[in-house]
Amino acid sequence: MGRSPCCEKAHTNKGAWTKEEDERLITYIRAHGEGCWRSLPKAAGLLRCGKSCRLRWINYLRPDLKRGNFTEEEDELIIKLHSLLGNKWSLIAGRLPGRTDNEIKNYWNTHIRRKLLSRGIDPTKHRSINEPTSTQKVTTISFAGDSKDDYQDQKINIKVESVEMNKEDNEIQEKCLPDLNLELRISPPHHQQNQQMDHHHQRSNSVCFTCSLGIQNSKDCSCSKTNGNGCSNNIVGMNIIAGYDFLGLKTNGLLDYRTLETK
DNA sequence: AAACAAGTCAACCGCCTGTAG
DNA sequence: ACTACAGGCGGTTGACTTGTT
């Protein structure tokens, strides 16, 4: 006995979407907005599974999709993000406006994997294929907290352990990844923090932790607690080494985390 | 021109997570 | 605390296209 199907499969279409189906979906979402995917097909007059509608909209019909070939900059960004996040396609997609997780996943599997292999780089480990295992770099990021709701005592330890690497990788490490050994504590903003937040829009080198993770306007967002607006591209509470964001990605000074939303 | 292989990508599947009741 | 459900995600499939023989 498996899980019950998400919808009545006997009366749903499968396979490629027709133009008419696309138009029905677009028209419905324009009129009623996204959400409630399960009931959407019936309401929109579509013989499709709700999941199928969601996928079609997100991956193909959404008006903000970029489409077209990936640029060299996008390629490099995907590689860098993949080295940090692994197969977290939705997170990677969040950093690439107009790109979908499915698109990036496909692009990775068809183009970038081969590109890295041709460079002699293992696409999974992001290390030279010929590199001896003794020089493996181990990076551990651990989050430890006792309580989800207790601001006073919630402690988040981020520990990055680096084991010796070869010289080339060390150079990359120095350029891209600032050494991290942070012990962060989420707590209500005190006076000094408030002052910092007052300059929120002028100062762009620190971010409240929840916003840095892309969870804006959440209950944990200290920014929204103080100015009522939450972080959009504002940065408070966690210092970032100038020129790099919390993923260690080089920035041009102004960071924009709006694209790192958890969908 | 036909047959086959390789590449591409939209779509599906099933599992996981968050949340409401 | 438990259950059911909806939404989200990553892995995989398969139809279609392009390249090669």
Side-chain angles (χ1 to χ4, degrees):
Chain A
M1 275 288 279
R3 185 190 171 87
S4 63
C6 70
C7 51
E8 181 55 62
K9 297 201 180 216
H11 302 103
T12 53
N13 292 338
K14 287 178 77 172
W17 280 64
T18 66
K19 206 170 169 66
E20 191 194 342
E21 285 177 314
D22 281 349
E23 281 164 10
R24 274 182 189 271
L25 183 56
I26 292 168
T27 305
Y28 183 85
I29 291 176
R30 275 190 188 147
H32 302 93
E34 290 180 44
C36 204
W37 295 108
R38 195 180 173 89
S39 59
L40 184 149
K42 197 177 177 184
L46 287 161
L47 293 173
R48 288 277 179 176
C49 165
K51 277 188 172 188
S52 181
C53 294
R54 177 184 160 271
L55 219 58
R56 182 63 178 170
W57 173 255
I58 287 173
N59 287 332
Y60 201 82
L61 300 175
R62 247 168 52 197
D64 58 327
L65 292 180
K66 194 186 271 183
R67 313 211 66 82
N69 294 337
F70 282 76
T71 64
E72 196 61 37
E73 289 74 27
E74 285 176 315
D75 273 24
E76 294 305 320
L77 183 55
I78 291 168
I79 292 167
K80 193 176 272 186
L81 286 166
H82 187 271
S83 73
L84 291 160
L85 301 167
N87 293 358
K88 300 290 174 198
W89 305 116
S90 61
L91 278 176
I92 294 171
R95 297 283 306 197
L96 287 129
R99 302 294 187 186
T100 70
D101 52 357
N102 205 36
E103 193 179 13
I104 292 168
K105 180 171 60 185
N106 282 331
Y107 187 65
W108 175 270
N109 288 325
T110 56
H111 293 84
I112 299 181
R113 277 177 63 85
R114 232 178 307 138
K115 184 173 170 178
L116 290 178
L117 285 169
S118 73
R119 289 181 188 174
I121 297 168
D122 182 331
T124 312
K125 295 170 185 165
H126 294 270
R127 282 199 303 273
S128 169
I129 289 166
N130 301 320
E131 184 185 327
T133 51
S134 61
T135 61
Q136 278 184 3
K137 173 184 161 249
V138 179
T139 301
T140 307
I141 299 181
S142 59
F143 289 74
D146 297 334
S147 159
K148 274 185 177 176
D149 301 322
D150 189 352
Y151 280 114
Q152 301 293 336
D153 295 325
Q154 187 172 0
K155 197 190 270 186
I156 295 175
N157 294 314
I158 297 182
K159 195 165 95 180
V160 177
E161 299 168 0
S162 292
V163 177
E164 194 57 44
M165 305 174 286
N166 64 27
K167 191 184 167 196
E168 194 183 334
D169 278 353
N170 260 328
E171 285 168 4
I172 294 166
Q173 169 84 1
E174 281 166 16
K175 281 180 192 165
C176 303
L177 293 171
D179 281 342
L180 292 174
N181 193 351
L182 307 173
E183 187 177 277
L184 305 173
R185 184 185 294 269
I186 293 181
S187 60
H190 54 70
H191 181 66
Q192 199 173 356
Q193 283 172 325
N194 283 342
Q195 280 187 326
Q196 193 178 16
M197 283 167 209
D198 289 339
H199 298 91
H200 215 93
H201 294 269
Q202 289 82 33
R203 293 168 53 93
S204 298
N205 63 344
S206 62
V207 67
C208 108
F209 191 67
T210 54
C211 291
S212 76
L213 292 172
I215 313 166
Q216 284 107 28
N217 300 319
S218 77
K219 69 181 176 64
D220 295 328
C221 173
S222 56
C223 320
S224 60
K225 285 181 168 57
T226 54
N227 65 12
N229 296 326
C231 280
S232 55
N233 54 350
N234 306 322
I235 296 174
V236 175
M238 173 171 142
N239 292 326
I240 305 286
I241 292 172
Y244 298 89
D245 70 9
F246 84 104
L247 287 173
L249 299 172
K250 198 163 189 337
T251 71
N252 54 10
L254 285 171
L255 301 175
D256 186 350
Y257 286 90
R258 285 171 298 187
T259 55
L260 190 61
E261 288 173 357
T262 50
K263 287 185 285 186

